[in-house]
Amino acid sequence: MQPTQKSKRRFVPYKLISPAFLVVFTLSAYCLFWLISISMSSWRFGAPIESAAFVGLGNYKWLLFSKDSLFWVSLKTTTIYTLGTVTAQLLLGLLIALLFNRIRYGRALYTALLLIPMVLMPSMVGLVARMYFYDKGLVNYFVELIAGMRVNWASTNYALISAMLVDIWEYTPFFIVILSAGMQALPQDVYEAARMDGSGGAHLFFCITLPLLRPLIITALVLRLMESLRIFDVIYTMYAGGPGTATTTLPLLIYRQTMVAHNAGTGSAISILLILIIFVLSLVLMFMFERARKTLSEGEGQ
Amino acid sequence: MKRILSLCLAAMLLLGTLVGCAPKEVAPVGNEADISGYDLNDFDQWCEAMKKLYSGSSVTIAAASHPSTTAFRAISAEFTEKTGIEIVWDEMQEGSLQQKLLMEGGASAYDVVMTCPEFIPSQVEMGGLLELDDFINDKSLVPAWFDYEDLMEAYRLMLTYGGKQYAVPFAGETVFLMYRADVFEELNLTVPETMEQMRQTAMELKQLKPDSAGMSMRLQLGWEFCYMYSCFMFPFGGRFMDPETNKMDMNSNGNRDALEYINSLLPYGPAGIENYSFEEAWSAFMSGDALMMVEASAAAPEIENAEKSVAAGKTGYAKMPAGPAGAYSGVWGWGFGITSSSKNKDAAWAVIAYLTSKQKQNEYVANGGIVSRASMLMDEGEQAKYPYYSAIIETLEQAAALQAQGYGVVLPLPEWAGISDVVGTVGARALVGEISVDEALESMQSQTESMFAN
């Protein structure tokens, strides 16, 4: 009797999550199927779907190998954007979270204030930032006060940087909130033991805080990386991908190809490539997460 | 007279049955004879007649958010009051409008759609738009107070496809030169008449007034760059396509000269001009940061608005300067088309006739609408009030000269969206030096050619 009941029980969680899983999976699978089939056809958005011609991997070949394709240029821009913003956000977030943890009074108020940038609508942030970064805008006013000259933020060299600055401003609070919550949950006895052994300051941070926070940092990184790779609103409202193609990240390229140029086939092919990139990256990070968790629990076991 | 009228009416009704549409459904047969007593050339009687025929029906219009839409909405209440035809406005952003029309295809839920030169080819190919020539050629449907011929010819021509009219224009624009007349006088500069002179003047302005820029225009990647480029391309002898063979021709010396010319203006523009959308180009001129601007004539009312612009009352307007191959400019604008799936085609035509008529022109313009009729543009009193009217007429002649050769700043092809994006993206890349001008032209040619490969 008992073993069967036990094995029956083993399936309960699977049964319980199956409706949610089915809905999510079928919806995304259906869309993904369509996306893949359109990415293998030459279809002008707006023409009847019957006019789509099957071209196999032609769109992918053009994207990856044609000298007219903007895929690699765009991938480079996306990589710079994502690595730059997420690294800066993580470092700043860690630093501020450390300071944040020393605040004794009114932490809730500070947390609420910090969340404001994240609550704002990204496209509004972009529109306002566009004005701040005008030649005679607010940012240049301060730059001129300090450096004595204005920066042409809308030029090829600085457009991407200014968009990244806005992103960093908007999403650093995400890391601050998550990491400071994590720091508060850390076991205090470990610190006490380490202090008794004579370590302090930087040593405590690098040998205890950081390793213990690793799973949390990786989770936050996965979320931010995925979001950053899909960034659209801020860049689009600030620079629309220009000047030239200086701020054309992959999502902007997808939008331009599909909705502006009406090349649904090429646009879908870029989407698939972007999904693959995000998928592989998340796999790597989740693998790291699992490893970090394992080392932690092994450490606890000892 | 009566006999002629009733003949016309009979023709109209016959036509109505031929295109398989409204009168039968909205107006019972018994009503047909009823309007024969009305003089349709009389505005009030026309309204009465329409009331007899279509009262109680409703016409749904898909419109973009635009000053014209606001103006039409202001005058449409009176129309409903007079004719009993209800107008339902569905107003949305320009981009959403295009996507909606594309997705609806031939089965639109709207009766009337606001459309423009680049929408029409796709709409027609999908069977979404009704050919309007039958309406326009029917005298009883085009009464004297409507005066169709009075709509600027260049505006009417831009809304044709394959020689057929698909929309009635109500707002048009052309690209011309705006300059600060006060600064020109102060510095003793003359209004440039050639492209070379314009570059020279821009340079002098930048030298003599180092705090301001000599030239402003939209150059952001995509359609904005493409629009501006096409306005410079024809004066330099370039073109998108050979209208006789329908082969792409983007790699000629004329195209190269035009692209290089635009690039050579960059140093005289305001900081950041390489990514200017039209809004930023206009505001640079309106704030006094730029002293010359080549832009759409739609900017002129904004510039003359003293609340928004320091250039109000100080701006001169001139037609597009001539290039080595002649003086040409582009034309672009909005019109009303009737969907082929509409169940109220005749009532829809009545709405269009009323809103875009000469009779309502003054009211429409007073509410913020954009002038599109010769009678108003050429009226001396109006010209004294609006200093840019005469420049618009002259530039529209330049645009009509271009149309007469089979060219336009928009290619009437369903593939235009793709072509415009390629030209506008690759051109903008050359502008900031990501690629060379020659590479850009080659890329434009090969990419657009491949669109027609299959």
Side-chain angles (χ1 to χ4, degrees):
Chain A
M1 256 327 250
Q2 267 199 338
T4 32
Q5 229 172 20
K6 206 175 176 187
S7 64
K8 250 187 193 171
R9 257 212 208 131
R10 204 184 290 157
F11 289 109
V12 170
Y14 294 101
K15 279 180 187 162
L16 285 177
I17 63 160
S18 62
F21 180 78
L22 267 178
V23 170
V24 172
F25 181 76
T26 43
L27 276 182
S28 51
Y30 177 77
C31 297
L32 202 63
F33 167 75
W34 262 108
L35 200 63
I36 292 172
S37 60
I38 291 176
S39 81
M40 292 191 176
S41 66
S42 155
W43 178 45
R44 184 166 48 75
F45 179 64
I49 186 79
E50 294 80 29
S51 72
F54 181 76
V55 291
L57 294 175
N59 289 328
Y60 294 93
K61 214 173 107 192
W62 184 84
L63 278 173
L64 298 176
F65 300 112
S66 165
K67 68 176 169 40
D68 294 325
S69 147
L70 288 175
F71 179 76
W72 294 109
V73 179
S74 190
L75 184 65
K76 193 178 135 206
T77 313
T78 314
T79 312
I80 295 174
Y81 186 90
T82 306
L83 287 184
T85 53
V86 176
T87 314
Q89 283 159 7
L90 174 64
L91 294 180
L92 274 174
L94 259 178
L95 199 71
I96 299 173
L98 275 176
L99 295 172
F100 204 72
N101 261 13
R102 307 222 170 145
I103 294 178
R104 290 207 176 159
Y105 306 106
R107 199 196 304 248
L109 179 74
Y110 280 108
T111 315
L113 287 177
L114 270 173
L115 283 175
I116 289 178
M118 280 170 63
V119 174
L120 298 177
M121 202 160 105
S123 52
M124 288 298 139
V125 170
L127 281 176
V128 175
R130 174 167 134 185
M131 286 189 258
Y132 281 174
F133 281 100
Y134 271 164
D135 186 44
K136 289 178 182 165
L138 192 70
V139 175
N140 263 353
Y141 172 77
F142 288 111
V143 171
E144 205 172 9
L145 273 187
I146 296 163
M149 51 170 281
R150 289 205 294 260
V151 176
N152 181 4
W153 291 105
S155 65
T156 346
N157 298 332
Y158 291 101
L160 190 65
I161 294 175
S162 53
M164 286 166 69
L165 287 175
V166 175
D167 191 286
I168 292 170
W169 170 81
E170 200 178 359
Y171 290 108
T172 301
F174 176 76
F175 281 97
I176 301 175
V177 171
I178 289 201
L179 294 180
S180 78
M183 282 175 190
Q184 276 169 50
L186 292 184
Q188 289 304 312
D189 48 346
V190 186
Y191 285 93
E192 273 162 32
R195 277 202 201 95
M196 279 169 78
D197 288 344
S199 47
H203 194 250
L204 278 184
F205 174 73
F206 285 109
C207 294
I208 299 179
T209 314
L210 213 53
L212 285 180
L213 278 181
R214 207 153 76 184
L216 206 59
I217 291 177
I218 293 174
T219 316
L221 271 181
V222 172
L223 290 173
R224 273 306 300 149
L225 273 176
M226 287 204 276
E227 221 175 312
S228 184
L229 282 168
R230 290 179 295 149
I231 183 79
F232 179 81
D233 359 31
V234 173
I235 298 186
Y236 184 74
T237 42
M238 272 183 89
Y239 296 117
T245 50
T247 56
T248 304
T249 53
L250 284 173
L252 262 89
L253 191 65
I254 295 171
Y255 170 76
R256 296 198 70 86
Q257 281 294 327
T258 318
M259 302 313 277
V260 181
H262 296 175
N263 296 327
T266 339
S268 309
I270 309 171
S271 303
I272 296 287
L273 291 174
L274 182 59
I275 291 174
L276 279 179
I277 292 171
I278 294 180
F279 183 68
V280 168
L281 212 66
S282 328
L283 267 188
V284 170
L285 280 166
M286 288 325 276
F287 178 72
M288 283 168 68
F289 173 80
E290 278 300 313
R291 223 177 48 179
R293 217 178 46 121
K294 244 181 216 161
T295 13
L296 269 187
S297 53
E298 273 166 18
E300 265 168 30
Q302 286 165 5
Chain B
M1 186 66 195
K2 260 189 180 173
R3 185 169 289 174
I4 297 174
L5 260 178
S6 48
L7 259 176
C8 289
L9 272 174
M12 184 182 83
L13 288 168
L14 188 69
L15 181 92
T17 27
L18 277 183
V19 266
C21 56
K24 266 189 294 181
E25 294 163 47
V26 285
V29 187
N31 273 359
E32 281 172 17
D34 284 352
I35 71 158
S36 62
Y38 294 95
D39 176 8
L40 295 181
N41 281 322
D42 181 275
F43 179 66
D44 291 320
Q45 290 196 36
W46 178 85
C47 292
E48 286 294 320
M50 291 304 123
K51 194 168 193 167
K52 272 252 156 82
L53 285 175
Y54 311 118
S55 181
S57 59
S58 95
V59 170
T60 311
I61 305 182
S65 294
H66 190 266
S68 305
T69 309
T70 318
F72 282 137
R73 294 183 82 145
I75 62 175
S76 60
E78 197 193 340
F79 173 79
T80 306
E81 199 181 297
K82 281 186 169 158
T83 62
I85 302 173
E86 196 197 351
I87 304 180
V88 182
W89 292 92
D90 189 6
E91 194 174 329
M92 61 201 100
Q93 287 298 315
E94 194 179 318
S96 324
L97 175 67
Q98 187 184 17
Q99 281 153 28
K100 198 159 196 171
L101 296 180
L102 283 179
M103 290 197 209
E104 282 192 323
S108 178
Y110 299 102
D111 299 299
V112 173
V113 290
M114 196 162 151
T115 185
C116 62
E118 58 259 50
F119 294 4
I120 289 178
S122 308
Q123 282 178 288
V124 174
E125 295 289 314
M126 291 186 304
L129 271 187
L130 191 69
E131 197 191 305
L132 296 182
D133 292 284
D134 291 338
F135 288 94
I136 292 159
N137 295 330
D138 185 335
K139 286 223 172 67
S140 69
L141 293 176
V142 189
W145 52 265
F146 173 33
D147 201 353
Y148 178 75
E149 303 288 318
D150 184 41
L151 291 161
M152 291 300 285
E153 192 191 4
Y155 292 161
R156 279 184 274 136
L157 281 174
M158 78 187 169
L159 299 173
T160 55
Y161 179 59
K164 306 250 165 54
Q165 193 78 35
Y166 283 97
V168 178
F170 57 79
E173 64 175 39
T174 177
V175 171
F176 62 14
L177 173 66
M178 292 156 240
Y179 59 95
R180 284 288 292 275
D182 54 333
V183 179
F184 270 57
E185 201 176 327
E186 179 196 328
L187 302 176
N188 215 1
L189 295 170
T190 49
V191 182
E193 282 173 6
T194 65
M195 291 291 179
E196 197 41 57
Q197 285 171 8
M198 186 160 79
R199 178 162 54 193
Q200 197 67 28
T201 314
M203 192 180 78
E204 283 170 31
L205 281 169
K206 182 83 189 162
Q207 280 169 357
L208 298 170
K209 295 262 179 194
D211 287 343
S212 312
M215 176 58 79
S216 179
M217 61 173 84
R218 62 183 84 173
L219 290 173
Q220 191 166 68
L221 83 160
W223 71 271
E224 309 213 58
F225 184 90
C226 182
Y227 188 38
M228 221 15 89
Y229 170 58
S230 62
C231 290
F232 283 96
M233 183 176 69
F234 296 108
F236 281 95
R239 59 184 179 182
F240 289 131
M241 190 179 83
D242 184 338
E244 309 214 319
T245 59
N246 282 349
K247 286 240 164 69
M248 287 296 151
D249 186 18
M250 303 240 182
N251 204 358
S252 72
N253 288 330
N255 290 64
R256 180 172 298 104
D257 293 343
L259 204 51
E260 278 171 354
Y261 179 82
I262 296 177
N263 288 6
S264 74
L265 291 177
L266 219 52
Y268 317 126
I273 189 178
E274 56 267 52
N275 204 34
Y276 265 15
S277 67
F278 71 92
E279 291 144 325
E280 283 148 333
W282 295 8
S283 74
F285 188 81
M286 285 156 65
S287 64
D289 283 348
L291 302 170
M292 270 202 302
M293 171 161 86
V294 173
E295 258 298 331
S297 55
E302 301 274 314
I303 289 169
E304 295 299 333
N305 181 347
E307 278 174 25
K308 289 188 191 164
S309 151
V310 299
K314 299 174 190 160
T315 303
Y317 301 89
K319 59 183 176 186
M320 196 73 168
Y328 301 109
S329 184
V331 57
W332 190 88
W334 290 103
F336 278 135
I338 300 179
T339 60
S340 35
S341 54
S342 166
K343 292 200 170 70
N344 286 326
K345 294 191 179 69
D346 291 304
W349 176 257
V351 171
I352 295 176
Y354 180 95
L355 292 178
T356 63
S357 68
K358 193 175 179 179
Q359 177 87 18
K360 287 283 149 194
Q361 163 92 350
N362 287 337
E363 242 178 280
Y364 162 66
V365 173
N367 278 300
I370 287 137
V371 55
S372 45
R373 288 183 163 270
S375 56
M376 196 166 193
L377 283 167
M378 289 184 182
D379 185 84
E380 278 177 19
E382 299 286 341
Q383 283 187 356
K385 251 197 290 180
Y386 303 104
Y388 42 89
Y389 275 15
S390 49
I392 289 182
I393 295 176
E394 283 176 17
T395 323
L396 281 179
E397 279 163 14
Q398 294 179 328
L402 196 62
Q403 286 170 327
Q405 294 175 37
Y407 297 121
V409 292
V410 171
L411 286 178
L413 297 169
E415 289 84 1
W416 171 246
I419 298 174
S420 139
D421 189 63
V422 164
V423 171
T425 305
V426 174
R429 295 189 75 195
L431 185 74
V432 296
E434 284 179 19
I435 49 175
S436 73
V437 167
D438 285 319
E439 281 169 335
L441 293 170
E442 225 168 86
S443 177
M444 286 180 198
Q445 177 71 18
S446 67
Q447 286 195 68
T448 50
E449 250 176 18
S450 70
M451 286 180 202
F452 299 95
N454 326 328

